[in-house]
């Protein structure tokens, strides 16, 4: 919302609402005052509806009067007083309301299910009409409340579809009312939960304590510790499992009760963990219990700390790493608050480092490498997908392990998040943070057999230019590779042969219209990793160097 585009009255409403939130006031108690202003006392709120409705003589209806905008042509409206069989509509009929119910309490019933666009209360009839922005949102609301009886002030109320398809109004003050509605929904979606009614703040199928979480625009790593700190604000987090599906980082998170899951979904769905990136998309899972076998960097059962790390995987992060992540997570939690001025400054374009890590370097320890195949250059190429690798050192006395120094801590965590557990040269590699601050170069005159390489001034760094488009194309390893900088004389068959010669099988291929870019899909992620290592920066002739990266798409 841009404040410059608001009228003076709208701006006053908005600032007063925000002031109330900062002071800890109940959102709806403050907004209720504006509803009393928005609906003119000279015109009842039931006059917002124009046109006849509910005129079936057999429907058992009671009548109310409605006056048109010029005060003439009084006509009778009839309102259903029993549950009917009306087809789905985005206008809902709510009955058995308390005598002195407010518009804000009625709106609170509908907010969790979508945008509320209008309201009509029938004074003295204990009834109201609520209009949602879409028919789908109304259907979700009716389906949910058919299983869970909604309450307002501890009294059960009843909700059904209306025969009317929309609520019409010619009231000029209605614009301010709708603006106030918009502000309520904007703030509510940012985590201010309604408590004007005893109804649930969930939607969909909120009977499960397990949430399914998808991270979009994942330019920075999201760890188990980050998720636990964010979601524990809404209840006790018992278990978390993370995985990659459809080239997206996902997680299943289990609370100790469904109510906590509902509150977390309403507050966090659509929020960014860091500024402008790492967007949370949250749904309810069909599962009601998670079976966690190992406590490591991909799964955790907080109720069973004795679980093994499992299958050679590294154990849960050591205390020093947890402490380092805790610094990020503090900023991260602040970033979730729409009114917090202490939001983390991690820009999606990569121009600003996370608070506390500006200028810092991050060193990774990579283990379980294929010591017969791995080279400093192969590690530089693979890890260079997620940051600018400064130095690589394969350990002299343990050649299945290496130290990799990234340009900063953010890039190190990003590489760890995406590459830990991936298969490289037929072996599943393990990536953790190292205690080393830098990778030392060999002393002058000492031959370390080419195990240490300084890439600080390499022209192949992907992220040395601030605002580079490469920041927008960081994805987990996938079987589909994105190719760019393809010469015009290179054909599909040429590229298929080239990638097949790297030891893989090309499953599918697709040129983009200008033939400068293409997608090529290998049979497995391991084959794609091998091809990226072998063919990124490959000279296709006339000084054209092929650019290869992982894609989120499939062919």
């Amino acid at each position: 919302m841009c404040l410059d585009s608001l009228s003076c009255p709208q701006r006053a409403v908005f600032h007063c609402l925000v002031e109330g939130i900062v002071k800890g006031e109940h959102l709806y108690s403050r907004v209720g005052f504006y509803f009393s202003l928005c609906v003119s006392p000279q015109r009842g709120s039931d006059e917002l509806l124009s046109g006849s409705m509910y005129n079936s003589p057999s429907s058992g209806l009671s009548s109310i009067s409605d006056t048109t905008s010029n005060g003439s042509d009084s006509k009778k409206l009839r309102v259903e007083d029993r549950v009917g069989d009306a087809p789905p509509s985005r206008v809902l009929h709510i009955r058995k309301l308390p005598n002195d119910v407010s518009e804000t309490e009625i709106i609170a019933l509908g907010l969790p299910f979508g945008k509320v666009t209008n309201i009509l209360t029938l004074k003295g009839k204990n009834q109201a009409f609520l209009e949602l922005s879409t028919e789908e949102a109304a259907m979700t609301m009716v389906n949910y409340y058919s299983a869970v009886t909604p309450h307002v002030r501890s009294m059960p109320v009843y909700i059904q579809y209306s025969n009317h398809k929309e609520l019409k109004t010619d009231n000029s003050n209605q614009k301010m009312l709708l603006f106030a509605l918009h502000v309520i929904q904007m703030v509510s979606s940012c985590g201010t939960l309604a408590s004007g009614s005893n109804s649930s703040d969930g939607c969909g199928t909120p009977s499960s304590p397990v949430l399914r979480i998808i991270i979009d625009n994942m330019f920075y790593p999201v760890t188990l510790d980050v998720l636990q700190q964010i979601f524990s604000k809404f209840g006790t987090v018992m278990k978390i499992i993370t995985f990659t599906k459809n080239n997206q980082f996902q997680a299943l998170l289990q609370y100790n009760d469904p109510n906590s899951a509902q509150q977390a979904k309403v507050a966090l769905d659509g929020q960014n963990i860091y500024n402008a990136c790492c967007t949370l998309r949250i749904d309810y899972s069909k599962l009601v219990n998670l079976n966690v076998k190992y406590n490591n960097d991909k799964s955790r059962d907080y109720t069973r700390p004795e679980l093994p790390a499992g299958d050679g995987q590294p154990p849960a992060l050591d205390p020093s790493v947890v402490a380092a992540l805790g610094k990020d997570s503090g900023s991260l939690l602040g970033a979730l608050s729409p009114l917090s001025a202490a939001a983390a400054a991690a820009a999606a374009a990569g121009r600003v480092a996370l608070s506390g890590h500006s200028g810092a370097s991050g060193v990774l320890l990579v283990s379980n490498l294929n010591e017969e195949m791995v080279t400093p250059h192969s590690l530089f190429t693979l890890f260079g997908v997620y940051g600018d690798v400064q130095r690589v050192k394969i350990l002299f006395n343990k050649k299945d392990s290496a130290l990799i120094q990234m340009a900063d801590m953010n890039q190190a965590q990003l590489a760890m998040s995406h590459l830990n557990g991936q298969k490289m040269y037929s072996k599943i590699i393990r990536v953790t943070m190292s205690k080393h601050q830098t990778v030392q170069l060999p002393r002058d005159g000492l031959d370390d057999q080419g195990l240490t390489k300084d890439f600080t001034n390499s022209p192949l760094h992907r992220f040395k230019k601030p605002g580079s488009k490469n920041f927008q194309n960081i994805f987990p390893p996938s079987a589909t590779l994105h190719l760019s900088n393809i010469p015009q004389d290179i054909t599909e068959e040429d590229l298929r042969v080239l990638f097949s010669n790297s030891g893989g099988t090309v499953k599918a291929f697709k040129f983009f219209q200008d033939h400068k870019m293409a997608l090529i899909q290998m049979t497995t992620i391991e084959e794609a990793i091998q091809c990226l290592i072998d063919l990124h920066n490959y000279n296709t002739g006339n000084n054209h160097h092929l650019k290869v990266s992982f894609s989120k798409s499939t062919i």
Side-chain angles (χ1 to χ4, degrees):
M1 176 184 295
C2 178
L3 292 181
D4 293 338
S5 65
L6 303 181
S7 65
C8 289
Q10 287 178 332
R11 201 173 303 178
V13 171
F14 179 83
H15 283 300
C16 201
L17 290 174
V18 173
E19 178 188 355
I21 297 167
V22 172
K23 291 180 178 178
E25 295 180 11
H26 193 284
L27 176 64
Y28 291 99
S29 65
R30 179 163 284 236
V31 175
F33 171 71
Y34 288 100
F35 275 104
S36 66
L37 294 181
C38 292
V39 181
S40 171
Q42 284 78 26
R43 293 170 51 90
S45 58
D46 43 302
E47 293 176 21
L48 297 177
L49 185 66
S50 64
S52 60
M53 58 185 293
Y54 306 114
N55 51 15
S56 171
S58 61
S59 57
L61 308 176
S62 58
S63 63
I64 61 173
S65 63
D66 175 65
T67 308
T68 58
S69 58
N70 59 11
S72 61
D73 296 332
S74 176
K75 61 183 69 175
K76 297 291 184 180
L77 295 181
R78 292 184 175 274
V79 181
E80 295 184 1
D81 197 28
R82 63 176 177 82
V83 176
D85 297 321
S89 166
R90 65 190 184 97
V91 179
L92 300 178
H93 181 204
I94 306 174
R95 303 178 298 116
K96 305 296 184 182
L97 290 163
N99 289 329
D100 54 349
V101 67
S102 67
E103 287 92 343
T104 53
E105 290 175 294
I106 300 170
I107 291 168
L109 291 170
L111 275 182
F113 303 92
K115 184 178 180 181
V116 177
T117 52
N118 213 338
I119 182 174
L120 164 68
T121 57
L122 307 180
K123 303 299 184 182
K125 298 293 181 181
N126 304 99
Q127 301 180 32
F129 293 93
L130 195 68
E131 180 187 88
L132 277 71
S133 59
T134 65
E135 189 174 291
E136 289 75 14
M139 292 174 65
T140 301
M141 181 174 169
V142 170
N143 290 339
Y144 176 65
Y145 285 137
S146 65
V148 179
T149 302
H151 288 74
V152 175
R153 300 188 187 181
S154 301
M155 292 179 57
V157 298
Y158 302 93
I159 300 175
Q160 65 192 80
Y161 295 118
S162 165
N163 288 325
H164 213 61
K165 295 302 181 184
E166 64 177 330
L167 297 179
K168 297 180 180 179
T169 177
D170 54 9
N171 188 346
S172 60
N173 286 329
Q174 185 72 357
K175 291 183 179 180
M176 186 64 74
L177 184 147
L178 292 178
F179 170 73
L181 269 175
H182 174 66
V183 174
I184 292 177
Q185 290 158 143
M186 180 189 69
V187 179
S188 178
S189 67
C190 293
T192 306
L193 302 181
S195 59
S197 72
N198 293 327
S199 61
S200 167
D201 287 306
C203 58
T205 310
S207 58
S208 172
V210 180
L211 295 175
R212 182 172 67 94
I213 303 160
I214 298 175
I215 310 293
D216 282 339
N217 302 318
M218 189 169 164
F219 297 118
Y220 291 92
V222 177
T223 65
L224 283 171
D225 299 273
V226 165
L227 291 173
Q228 195 272 341
Q229 290 195 40
I230 295 172
F231 283 84
S232 62
K233 292 178 65 179
F234 303 94
T236 302
V237 176
M238 299 178 67
K239 306 171 186 177
I240 305 177
I241 298 173
T242 62
F243 55 98
T244 299
K245 183 178 181 181
N246 299 328
N247 298 331
Q248 288 182 309
F249 180 83
Q250 302 188 29
L252 293 171
L253 184 145
Q254 180 178 339
Y255 280 102
N256 63 337
D257 65 282
N259 288 335
S260 298
Q262 293 174 30
Q263 293 184 16
K265 182 183 185 304
V266 172
L268 298 177
D269 188 24
Q271 297 297 313
N272 293 328
I273 296 177
Y274 303 114
N275 282 5
C277 64
C278 296
T279 306
L280 292 165
R281 286 173 45 204
I282 305 173
D283 288 311
Y284 296 104
S285 171
K286 296 179 180 179
L287 302 173
V288 293
N289 184 57
L290 298 180
N291 182 22
V292 177
K293 296 181 179 180
Y294 307 114
N295 283 339
N296 51 42
D297 59 341
K298 291 190 176 181
S299 63
R300 196 82 55 83
D301 187 336
Y302 296 93
T303 67
R304 299 181 62 194
E306 75 280 3
L307 288 178
D311 192 28
Q313 299 184 43
L317 299 179
D318 61 59
S320 62
V321 176
V322 174
L325 288 173
K327 294 177 183 179
D328 286 342
S329 299
S331 299
L332 206 156
L333 293 174
L336 288 170
S337 170
L339 301 175
S340 172
R351 289 187 286 269
V352 185
L354 288 176
S355 175
H357 290 309
S358 179
S361 60
V363 179
L364 297 169
L365 172 62
V366 187
S367 58
N368 202 41
L369 293 166
N370 186 332
E371 57 185 273
E372 301 296 327
M373 300 289 294
V374 71
T375 64
H377 189 271
S378 63
L379 292 172
F380 164 78
T381 303
L382 178 58
F383 281 75
V385 173
Y386 301 104
D388 291 338
V389 177
Q390 305 297 299
R391 294 174 181 175
V392 177
K393 181 183 184 71
I394 297 175
L395 302 186
F396 184 80
N397 294 323
K398 191 173 173 54
K399 292 185 174 61
D400 68 344
S401 299
L403 294 174
I404 300 178
Q405 182 176 331
M406 308 296 290
D408 59 46
M409 181 67 77
N410 298 316
Q411 295 180 5
Q413 290 182 358
L414 188 63
M416 178 180 70
S417 172
H418 285 311
L419 294 177
N420 181 48
Q422 297 293 342
K423 187 175 283 189
M424 178 184 181
Y425 297 129
S426 303
K427 299 196 73 173
I428 296 175
I429 64 173
R430 306 300 172 199
V431 186
T432 59
M433 300 300 298
S434 170
K435 296 179 181 179
H436 294 277
Q437 295 300 308
T438 59
V439 171
Q440 297 293 332
L441 295 175
R443 293 190 298 271
D444 290 341
L446 179 64
D447 181 15
D448 74 340
Q449 302 176 13
L451 298 177
T452 305
K453 182 75 174 177
D454 187 1
F455 295 98
T456 303
N457 298 316
S458 172
L460 301 182
H461 287 159
R462 296 177 186 246
F463 308 105
K464 59 184 177 181
K465 295 180 180 179
S468 167
K469 289 184 178 180
N470 289 327
F471 284 103
Q472 304 171 26
N473 295 304
I474 298 176
F475 303 109
S478 67
T480 305
L481 296 170
H482 181 273
L483 314 181
S484 60
N485 202 35
I486 303 173
Q488 289 291 334
D489 58 344
I490 295 292
T491 65
E492 175 181 336
E493 184 61 27
D494 292 333
L495 291 170
R496 282 179 174 268
V497 171
L498 181 64
F499 278 76
S500 296
N501 288 340
S502 286
T505 301
V506 177
K507 187 177 179 180
F509 183 91
K510 178 183 178 181
F511 259 128
F512 291 94
Q513 288 184 349
D514 58 5
H515 275 221
K516 293 181 180 179
M517 295 187 294
L519 293 178
I520 190 166
Q521 186 172 337
M522 310 304 294
T523 304
T524 65
I525 294 177
E526 182 185 4
E527 290 181 359
I529 289 175
Q530 179 68 55
C531 289
L532 184 143
I533 291 173
D534 291 346
L535 299 175
H536 177 61
N537 202 50
Y538 179 84
N539 189 348
T540 56
N542 297 322
N543 206 30
H544 273 89
H545 292 270
L546 189 67
K547 305 301 180 186
V548 185
S549 58
F550 296 115
S551 173
K552 67 176 181 180
S553 305
T554 57
I555 304 174

